[in-house]
Amino acid sequence: MNLTLHVWRQNGPSDKGRFETYQANGISEHMSFLEMLDFVNEKLESEGKAPIVFEHDCREGICGSCGFMIDGKAHGGQHRTTVCQLHMRSFKDGDVLTLEPWRAAAFPVLRDLMVDRSAFDRIVQAGGYVSVRSGSPQDANAILVGKEEVDRAFDAAACIGCGACVASCPNASAMLFTGAKISHLGLLPQGQPERYRRVQAMTQTMDEAGFGYCSNHGECSAFCPKDISLDVIAMTNRDLMAAQVKGRSEG
Amino acid sequence: MRWFLKFAGSTIGLKIVMAVSGLLLFGFVIGHMLGNLQVYLGAETLNAYGATLQGMGPLLWVVRLGLLAIVLAHIGSSVALVRLSHAARPQSYKKVQPRASTYASRTMRVSGPIVLAFIIFHILHLTQGAAHPELQHCVTGADGALQCFVHENVVSAFSLTGANVAYKAFSVVFYVVAMVLLGLHLGHGAYSMVRTLGLSNPRYDRIARALATAVTLVIVIGNCSIPIAVAVGLVRTAGGH
Amino acid sequence: MILESKAPGGDIQTAWQRHKFDIKIVNPANKRKYTVIVVGTGLAGAAAAATLGELGYNVLNFCFQDSARRAHSIAAQGGINAAKNYQGDGDSVYRLFYDTVKGGDFRAREENVYRLAEVSGNIIDQAVAQGVPFAREYGGLLSNRSFGGSLVSRTFYAQGQTGQQLLIGAYQALSRQVKDGKVKLFARTEMLDLVIEDGHARGIITRNLVTGKIERHVADAVVLGTGGYGNAFFLSTNAMGSNVTAAWRAAKRGALFANPCFTQIHPTCIPVSGGYQSKLTLMSESLRNDGRVWAPKNPADAWDMAKGKLGKDPRQIPEADRDYFLERRYPTFGNLVPRDVASRAAKKACDDGQGVAYEGRGVYLDFAESIGRLGQKAVAERYGNLFEMYERITGDNPFETPMRIYPAVHYTMGGLWVDYNLQSNVPGLFVIGEANFSDHGANRLGASALMQGLSDGYFVLPYTIGHYLAQVGPRPKSTDWGSFKQVEGEVNEKTKKLLSIKGKRSVDSFHRELGLLMWEHCGMARNEQGLTTLLQEIPRIREEFWKDVSVPGSEGEVNQVLERAGRVADFLEFTEMMVLDARERRESCGGHFREEFQTEEGEAKRDDENFQYVAAWEFKGVGVAPELHKEPLNFRYVKPSQRSYK
């Protein structure tokens, strides 16, 4: 099949950026979307032109490296699918596609479709962990966790940190990402001692990074390739309020 | 106190201010509607109700100022959040295809200001009178009892007879449009409020959403029914305007 | 050169305890005087960096990805082994040790393997304390499953995302140290060379992948946790960025590379679908529990080479025309033979013209019988998410039509040579995780990679590195040493050269060419002739690469082509050593199958008399034959025997 791509090209964070148009001809329906871009890039490279920069690594939908908007839909919008697992059979001959990077003040564009998501790392560094040293913790079976609880915690922990939530949110909010970590740890007994300290520190860092607020549109969850539920946001709100009541405010 | 200001200034804190004020206003809207629906019980009942409210004296002003404060908190938090939202995405997408959001959720920033404009008009219209030349204020009767004319005022405001029919027709339409927008605003607002306050639970998420829609529908229909009923002549004063 | 394993002798069951007591410990107050460089943030790297930070060392931690959380450990699906005996089915440290030595076809160091089995339980304790959501039973206890030919249930898992959950656990521990200021994290930073000062590894040269800036970092020791080299084959289940550069540059600076020919082929991957293919996707080994592997008996029903088309619809092929070749050849183990055996059998079927996917490289994995026996619902419960993934990639629904599978390169057992302390022959250079060679011998058992990475990172290296640091004491550190200047100069020169060629061929075209040849001659089956061909072809491709590669752009910007070009240039040197190792090892063992050395039934034939050693290769120059050093292996506990799965 033959496609027309309008791709956002931006040489660096300070460049203004612009859309450029490329033809992708002779594309097989069995190609993944990124293989289609590889194909376009290989042609550009052999012509000595700068290929389209996009991030990717595992191409199995788990590392969270890849992600951009295809026609206004994060990861292309296929249910539970990152863009690396999206295949060209979802498109048809003659399609015209617009490729844009995640757009958020907290995710500055580094080049083309590649953005800086280090704000996510800072949010986790603020408290997205259980403070335990490597060494000799108690026997793993000494901590009992019900199957339902651990399954809920797992569902939240399935987040791959790709940033599609921020990209899809009309307010560029990072509540789904932050809430997923807060819920993962807050639902487990191991996370209880630091539960309220954690929610305060992480949401504060989230605010400082320049993300917007949550207005419960639900776009984040709808485009999340791991189907993280909006409930993690409700839990975050609840825990932050509880933290005020418990008077464990920091700073 | 510092912790509270810090909390209230965070994005989640601002949302909670918005949700709590929204919840209170939601309650007010329901109460206000129930009061107004007494229009169907006849002039006597409605006017007595009006007199009771007016008779509260200083307490009435406490309630009014309280409501004003809540409205200001609601507006203030929303203005702050909208500014944050713009700052969070300075460059918008060329193409967006929303999936989960609704018309109501996406138009909160439009429906809100229109509803505010309506509230101002409504106060000038049926309370203060600047927008309603025929408005009759309450008077203290010879027996010292307060006599109000709420029923007559409502009828004269929307009855498509007599002078200023065009203006009155406009009023009816404006009320109905505003109520529909209020409905949209409340529809998303009520659902969002439950989530923001962390009250949601996956088990009854659907029920919560349905309930929010149902209550909103009742409010819209209840409130819209009054000007329409007057306009089509279902509600009229004893004197027959 | 004499390769000293430094493994403690005597009773193996107390060896690690005795060793920990015998080695030197750094005074707690002195730890902050030391800086350790850790390259890589996978299970091994992140666990090591976090633990060293907790102990009080200053840590500089590097990864080429945009976040430490994205290292390829994240993609491991199945699980992690630990000798907990939670199921009460007779598991023990000794049994895990035994299984691992045997599974590795007697080409691993016993003492290392025993230690791995010994600390395996601690890993589970540690991960659970961190909040890793392992699968549980209704009573709240941890759940286990059996895996990879073991007789006991010792595999802990978190759905099909065990690697992800363990890596996030390590990443979170690392994040805590970053916040505490003990670890300084350098994301989007690639190590391009090792700096050796006065005979000791003292620093690295890196490139900032955003600004292109070349930087010098000095430390008291350097730890490499940089993963395996499966991408030497271009197509593998590795991440696109996985590369051999850090390990290879260390090898070029004098570190020995051990058993580079030991690579693992995983039997159940989704086959290649066309020439554009960029990577392969693994389907969990567990599918073979209920799926039956077959190929059409009649080549006319298979891939049509002449027309380049898929053959007959598998559902139309009658039972009599199907060859259930695993069940036929291995009646006892059937579809559950180990990875290497299953892979070679699939290859043989395809070589015989029975292949069913693109270019005849695939066999069927059929669930029709299980669906009939268990019902669609039960099958969906077991494999639903895997079927979904398969359909997402291929467009075929495994409930309706058999899956197509083919083996793919998955893991590399070889790596930089290390002693019992995980130190290479270069003092101060430590190597952990998949990047070293130590624990898996010639074949890795399922669910053991996660175990080894975390064991090295959390529980071994943090102690053994102290022994080295305490011995050398705090030393002055400077990036102004001549050694830094010289190595940085060489790095810059290489970059300039790559950019100046301005040829006509893309980097990937060279990588693909190399990979296809490697897969053909140094993949599942190898022989003298093919390996010799490779030794002629690799230098040719390398020469052409340096003449005709196209690397657009400059060094001072985001330049993904430049990154790839550097990595492919290293593969073009490293693979030569790999092939030489494969040619030198004139026996078949584990994942290394030399066609000349097989039993009458076509099984691997080991030669313990001549090859019971670790082959550690010393780099002598590009295009120059490396020198072989041998570390003999002694089996005091598990006596070598022939594996049989008939």
Side-chain angles (χ1 to χ4, degrees), chain B residues 16-40:
Chain B
I16 287 170
V17 168
M18 184 188 266
V20 171
S21 56
L23 179 69
L24 294 170
L25 292 172
F26 195 88
F28 171 78
V29 168
I30 293 174
H32 187 62
M33 176 193 70
L34 291 176
N36 288 352
L37 286 180
Q38 295 178 69
V39 76
Y40 297 113

Side-chain angles (χ1 to χ4, degrees), chain C residues 389-639:
Chain C
M389 179 163 90
Y390 181 86
E391 187 173 3
R392 199 149 53 220
I393 291 170
T394 63
D396 286 339
N397 180 355
F399 283 114
E400 288 163 9
T401 182
M403 280 186 178
R404 287 185 176 87
I405 52 154
Y406 198 64
V409 176
H410 172 56
Y411 186 88
T412 54
M413 281 74 70
L416 290 173
W417 182 88
V418 289
D419 61 18
Y420 189 68
N421 292 323
L422 304 181
Q423 186 170 221
S424 72
N425 59 306
V426 176
L429 177 67
F430 292 79
V431 190
I432 56 178
E434 191 179 350
N436 73 26
F437 87 103
S438 69
D439 297 350
H440 304 299
N443 176 56
R444 182 177 64 73
L445 288 183
S448 285
L450 303 181
M451 175 170 69
Q452 187 225 336
L454 289 177
S455 153
D456 288 0
Y458 283 133
F459 300 112
V460 179
L461 175 96
Y463 300 114
T464 58
I465 202 172
H467 182 54
Y468 167 77
L469 294 172
Q471 279 176 324
V472 294
R475 293 165 294 183
K477 290 183 267 292
S478 165
T479 52
D480 294 331
W481 292 333
S483 50
F484 271 104
K485 203 175 159 209
Q486 189 211 327
V487 176
E488 187 188 305
E490 288 172 26
V491 165
N492 280 328
E493 202 181 310
K494 188 165 186 172
T495 307
K496 285 219 169 64
K497 202 171 157 197
L498 284 169
L499 289 164
S500 67
I501 299 166
K502 300 199 184 303
K504 294 216 155 42
R505 279 184 63 184
S506 71
V507 172
D508 278 1
S509 73
F510 288 102
H511 195 177
R512 199 176 283 126
E513 185 181 358
L514 171 73
L516 279 175
L517 280 169
M518 286 294 291
W519 181 232
E520 178 72 24
H521 299 299
C522 195
M524 274 185 282
R526 302 149 178 194
N527 59 47
E528 183 84 24
Q529 195 194 345
L531 294 168
T532 306
T533 310
L534 270 179
L535 288 175
Q536 291 158 356
E537 287 293 302
I538 295 170
R540 177 191 62 75
I541 303 171
R542 186 168 63 226
E543 206 172 299
E544 211 175 311
F545 173 87
W546 285 104
K547 262 195 271 175
D548 200 23
V549 72
S550 162
V551 184
S554 70
E555 68 264 46
E557 59 181 346
V558 174
N559 191 336
Q560 294 176 322
V561 186
L562 179 62
E563 294 164 27
R564 285 206 304 276
R567 294 169 193 162
V568 171
D570 289 332
F571 278 127
L572 283 167
E573 293 173 6
F574 164 74
T575 42
E576 230 179 330
M577 188 182 270
M578 225 173 132
V579 173
L580 259 180
D581 185 43
R583 196 173 69 164
E584 194 69 21
R585 192 170 280 280
R586 297 170 58 81
E587 63 161 349
S588 294
C589 61
H592 171 65
F593 188 78
R594 282 286 298 266
E595 288 170 340
E596 305 95 315
F597 307 102
Q598 47 181 310
T599 64
E600 279 169 19
E601 294 96 1
E603 304 303 332
K605 198 166 150 194
R606 237 176 33 234
D607 179 355
D608 292 333
E609 202 171 309
N610 294 307
F611 292 97
Q612 193 168 295
Y613 61 75
V614 176
W617 296 87
E618 184 182 357
F619 177 80
K620 290 286 183 186
V622 176
V624 180
E627 188 183 342
L628 175 63
H629 303 274
K630 296 176 185 174
E631 182 203 332
L633 292 168
N634 300 310
F635 293 92
R636 297 187 291 144
Y637 291 86
V638 189
K639 291 297 166 203

Side-chain angles (χ1 to χ4, degrees), chain C residues 100-247:
Chain C
T100 309
V101 171
K102 185 182 170 208
D105 221 357
F106 306 95
R107 291 294 174 263
R109 201 187 280 146
E110 272 192 332
E111 293 82 0
N112 282 58
V113 178
Y114 193 89
R115 176 176 61 191
L116 174 66
E118 190 178 337
V119 303
S120 64
N122 300 31
I123 298 171
I124 303 303
D125 298 342
Q126 177 68 23
V128 166
Q130 288 170 342
V132 170
F134 282 125
R136 297 206 176 234
E137 297 162 0
Y138 282 102
L141 295 170
L142 286 156
S143 170
N144 289 112
R145 61 178 162 205
S146 58
F147 210 85
S150 160
L151 295 172
V152 292
S153 273
R154 62 158 76 102
T155 304
F156 295 79
Y157 61 99
Q159 295 190 14
Q161 297 162 32
T162 319
Q164 181 203 22
Q165 293 307 317
L166 288 168
L167 184 67
I168 296 297
Y171 161 76
Q172 287 171 191
L174 180 66
S175 296
R176 187 166 78 97
Q177 294 309 307
V178 172
K179 190 199 180 194
D180 288 353
K182 291 309 292 179
V183 175
K184 191 154 187 259
L185 200 55
F186 297 81
R188 295 192 194 275
T189 306
E190 182 164 23
M191 169 180 163
L192 289 185
D193 220 324
L194 178 71
V195 177
I196 294 177
E197 172 75 13
D198 206 11
H200 289 248
R202 293 302 301 275
I204 59 172
I205 302 291
T206 60
R207 179 170 181 268
N208 179 318
L209 300 183
V210 177
T211 63
K213 202 164 167 245
I214 301 292
E215 285 160 327
R216 305 173 179 183
H217 305 273
V218 66
D220 294 279
V222 176
V223 181
L224 300 185
T226 49
Y229 47 85
N231 276 346
F233 295 90
F234 183 65
L235 288 182
S236 79
T237 66
N238 281 7
M240 301 299 286
S242 300
N243 65 80
V244 77
T245 290

Side-chain angles (χ1 to χ4, degrees), chain C residues 268-333:
Chain C
T268 52
C269 299
I270 299 177
V272 171
S273 66
Y276 45 79
Q277 189 99 14
S278 63
K279 81 149 273 158
L280 297 169
T281 301
L282 183 120
M283 301 297 292
S284 171
E285 196 169 5
S286 63
L287 288 169
R288 283 196 283 144
N289 287 329
D290 286 303
R292 296 179 73 195
V293 177
W294 64 276
K297 271 184 191 164
N298 185 355
D301 295 339
W303 168 266
D304 188 335
M305 274 294 175
K307 288 192 193 136
K309 274 177 128 171
L310 289 174
K312 199 168 181 180
D313 182 338
R315 289 165 292 188
Q316 311 292 326
I317 300 177
E319 203 62 30
D321 289 346
R322 299 176 175 195
D323 177 13
Y324 294 90
F325 55 86
L326 287 179
E327 296 169 23
R328 173 172 58 79
R329 291 179 57 186
Y330 307 98
T332 309
F333 276 71

Side-chain angles (χ1 to χ4, degrees), chain C residues 70-106:
Chain C
R70 308 208 197 279
H72 196 56
S73 305
I74 205 159
Q77 298 172 359
I80 176 166
N81 286 332
K84 279 286 201 185
N85 195 30
Y86 279 166
Q87 304 303 319
D89 54 2
D91 198 10
S92 64
V93 168
Y94 198 88
R95 186 178 287 279
L96 176 54
F97 156 68
Y98 176 89
D99 287 353
T100 309
V101 171
K102 185 182 170 208
D105 221 357
F106 306 95

